Amino acid sequence: MTYIAKPKLHHPSLEKNKLGFTRRDYEGAISTLCAGCGHDSISAAIIQACFELDLPPHRIAKLSGIGCSSKTPTYFLGNSHGFNSVHGRMPSVLTGANLANRDLVYLGVSGDGDSASIGLGQFAHSLRRGVNMVYIVENNGVYGLTKGQFSATADKGSKSKKGALNHDAPIDLVMLALQLGATYVARGFSGDKVQLVPLIKGAILHQGAAFIDVISPCVAFNNHDGSTKSYDYLREHNEAVNRLDVILPRQPITADYAPGVVEEVVQHDGSTLRLRKLAADYDASDRASATAFLHQHEARGEVVTGLLFADPEPEDLHAHLGTVDVPFNQLGEAELCPGASALDRFNASLR
Ligand SMILES: Cc1ncc(C[n+]2csc(CCOP(=O)(O)OP(=O)(O)O)c2C)c(N)n1
Ligand code: SF4
Ligand SMILES: [Mg+2]
């Protein structure tokens, strides 16, 4: 109920992070989604990840499109910047915001309809251009908000709640993200928060285009027998290839593992992505073999989850364009409007 406000008072013994914030400081309004909707668990995982990373809420910008999934930014990070854009248009709005102010953490939240149907072009170009962001698709295989039509990620042969068969081939957003050049690619399940929170933390620390496909069952329209996006199907077919621990710079690495069991990716900011291997033959540093592995396992009906690919040396759009380091809102008039002679020199350089 949106009209019920959460009480502002905190219990004094609530756990605080390094900034002195509690988890409550990272929450938003009370959710109006259906009870049991996977999307609410993803909101909880985002809150947990931002709390654990000690992120100042005012340094985060959350952007979304249209759909039940795209409504969720109202339910987390109530003290952060937010922009609810048009259906399928979140990536271009996020790209523009990021180019104007590179100092914020950009969190794009979308749905399978928002990103794989109407917004497919925007999804593709934001990843291939290397926009520094965390792009989360809350993937339930249906248009939840408009009452249960098959989306472009619904598996061929899966059944709608009313028994209709989907005849179209599915779009696998993870496979596309790998092909398009995203530098951090993961898949999670809303029912596995222990796996999902570190995947989100790793994506936030990654300084490039990070994409997470989170299978997020829709309890109202796609949680029945015959659906491949239901809680039961996921619990039976979830094939986690690794478990991620995110170790911040200067944080000691405590646990020891036998050689070959752990893969470590040291990122630009000094943080370490420590991958405990569950599938011995999975290599998260190689796009081609990751893609082949996904094809083989998906043909068997398995849903492969975990950190699927990470490039320790990502390059983002600002590097490609050679933009200035300073956000536009901190530039003075002289830098923003350098005068007619600077414009003449620039025009001459293009002739
Ligand atoms: C331009 C435009 N076309 C169509 C719609 C209708 N519409 C609203 S949400 C939606 C699909 C949402 O599906 P998804 O992104 O998967 O989100 P979910 O509700 O499943 O979380 C559609 C088709 C719209 N709002 N705007
Ligand atoms: S209709 Fe589906 S996606 Fe929308 S809130 Fe309900 S369960 Fe979630
Ligand atoms: Mg959907």
Side-chain angles (χ1 to χ4, degrees), residues 14-332:
L14 279 186
E15 189 193 345
K16 290 190 173 139
N17 66 11
K18 286 208 181 89
L19 299 178
F21 292 128
T22 67
R23 273 181 197 74
R24 291 290 310 277
D25 296 312
Y26 294 85
E27 291 179 358
I30 291 176
S31 172
T32 58
L33 302 187
C34 306
C37 176
H39 299 350
D40 278 333
S41 309
I42 302 172
S43 298
I46 292 171
I47 290 166
Q48 179 81 10
C50 294
F51 169 79
E52 288 181 8
L53 285 179
D54 306 308
L55 291 181
H58 71 283
R59 306 304 304 160
I60 308 171
K62 43 179 187 165
L63 294 99
S64 62
I66 301 287
C68 298
S69 34
S70 293
K71 281 171 69 178
T72 63
T74 304
Y75 315 132
F76 59 78
L77 298 174
N79 295 314
S80 300
H81 305 279
F83 194 96
N84 187 208
S85 74
V86 184
H87 200 21
R89 271 47 175 182
M90 175 275 287
S92 55
V93 179
L94 187 153
T95 303
N98 183 306
L99 283 174
N101 185 352
R102 62 196 297 167
D103 276 359
L104 302 181
V105 170
Y106 287 92
L107 192 55
V109 176
S110 178
D112 42 311
D114 200 58
S115 281
S117 297
I118 193 168
L120 188 60
Q122 301 236 338
F123 164 85
H125 292 291
S126 65
L127 292 183
R128 63 177 270 280
R129 298 176 88 189
V131 180
N132 183 7
M133 62 181 171
V134 179
Y135 192 136
I136 295 178
V137 168
E138 305 193 341
N139 187 352
N140 52 18
V142 287
Y143 296 172
L145 190 74
T146 52
K147 305 211 176 299
Q149 302 84 354
F150 285 123
S151 83
T153 66
D155 287 306
K156 194 169 185 168
S158 71
K159 262 195 206 143
S160 76
K161 196 172 171 183
K162 296 230 165 112
L165 268 188
N166 179 39
H167 297 287
D168 299 337
I171 290 176
D172 185 330
L173 291 172
V174 154
M175 220 76 92
L176 258 187
L178 283 169
Q179 199 269 321
L180 289 162
T183 43
Y184 181 106
V185 181
R187 186 185 279 127
F189 167 39
S190 64
D192 187 348
K193 200 171 157 198
V194 174
Q195 181 192 46
L196 185 55
V197 171
L199 291 177
I200 296 172
K201 285 165 72 176
I204 291 173
L205 295 173
H206 184 78
Q207 296 297 306
F211 172 65
I212 313 178
D213 179 37
V214 188
I215 309 298
S216 175
C218 167
V219 290
F221 301 110
N222 205 12
N223 195 34
H224 46 272
D225 275 357
S227 158
T228 55
K229 300 277 192 287
S230 65
Y231 281 109
D232 283 349
Y233 189 89
L234 258 290
R235 284 192 192 110
E236 281 158 26
H237 297 84
N238 186 349
E239 195 59 34
V241 289
N242 49 36
R243 286 278 163 181
L244 173 64
D245 296 317
V246 175
I247 300 151
L248 295 174
R250 291 188 295 280
Q251 196 177 324
I253 297 178
T254 45
D256 266 342
Y257 293 94
V261 175
V262 162
E263 205 178 312
E264 281 183 358
V265 183
V266 180
Q267 304 208 105
H268 239 31
D269 65 347
S271 60
T272 304
L273 304 179
R274 180 174 249 225
L275 287 169
R276 284 173 285 140
K277 286 192 178 204
L278 301 179
D281 56 340
Y282 194 81
D283 180 1
S285 65
D286 180 20
R287 269 181 210 277
S289 69
T291 308
F293 186 100
L294 288 167
H295 274 301
Q296 280 162 14
H297 286 256
E298 285 175 11
R300 295 186 212 150
E302 292 167 358
V303 182
V304 178
T305 58
L307 177 54
L308 304 173
F309 176 75
D311 181 344
E313 298 289 337
E315 224 188 49
D316 93 317
L317 182 61
H318 284 279
H320 300 160
L321 296 178
T323 56
V324 287
D325 289 340
V326 186
F328 286 179
N329 62 0
Q330 290 171 33
L331 293 175

